[in-house]
Amino acid sequence: SKTLPNVKEFCTSWEIISQERDLLTSTLLTLPYVTKVYPSHANFVFFTVTNSKALISYLLSKDMFVVDASKSMPNAIKISVSHPRNNLALINALYDFS
């Protein structure tokens, strides 16, 4: 049977992604304009806010990559879990917005 190359590397990467996702989730839960954060076991976080258009516009102006998910659910946003440095920049931008 074949095994994945670099299984150890993959597991380490996934551990980092999981930790970063949990950090983003816990940060979102502290923000007054966030109305719901949905549980995730993936490499992204899906959440709703009071005004997604304003937040998305703000984050895009800061060169943050976000996905407008309001067609799926009103005021919904999807953010991908990234490198810790990028996630920290995103967290800072989220705090600055509030």
Side-chain angles (χ1 to χ4, degrees):
S1 73
K2 289 187 172 188
T3 60
L4 287 172
N6 303 320
V7 171
K8 189 174 182 180
E9 243 179 77
F10 174 80
C11 290
T12 302
S13 295
W14 186 250
E15 197 172 296
I16 292 168
I17 289 169
S18 296
Q19 290 170 355
E20 290 295 310
R21 181 193 59 230
D22 293 347
L23 176 62
L24 285 171
T25 298
S26 62
T27 298
L28 289 167
L29 290 169
T30 69
L31 299 170
Y33 55 85
V34 173
T35 54
K36 180 151 175 95
V37 180
Y38 291 84
S40 175
H41 296 288
N43 64 339
F44 64 87
V45 180
F46 187 86
F47 62 104
T48 57
V49 296
T50 53
N51 184 344
S52 63
K53 299 274 185 252
L55 180 58
I56 290 168
S57 177
Y58 174 78
L59 292 173
L60 291 175
S61 78
K62 300 288 184 187
D63 295 324
M64 302 287 148
F65 180 74
V66 295
V67 175
D68 181 351
S70 61
K71 288 183 181 172
S72 301
M73 182 179 297
N75 287 307
I77 297 173
K78 178 182 163 186
I79 53 175
S80 294
V81 178
S82 184
H83 185 279
R85 177 181 58 246
N86 298 339
N87 293 332
L88 182 58
L90 174 62
I91 287 169
N92 287 332
L94 289 166
Y95 279 128
D96 289 346
F97 181 76
S98 57

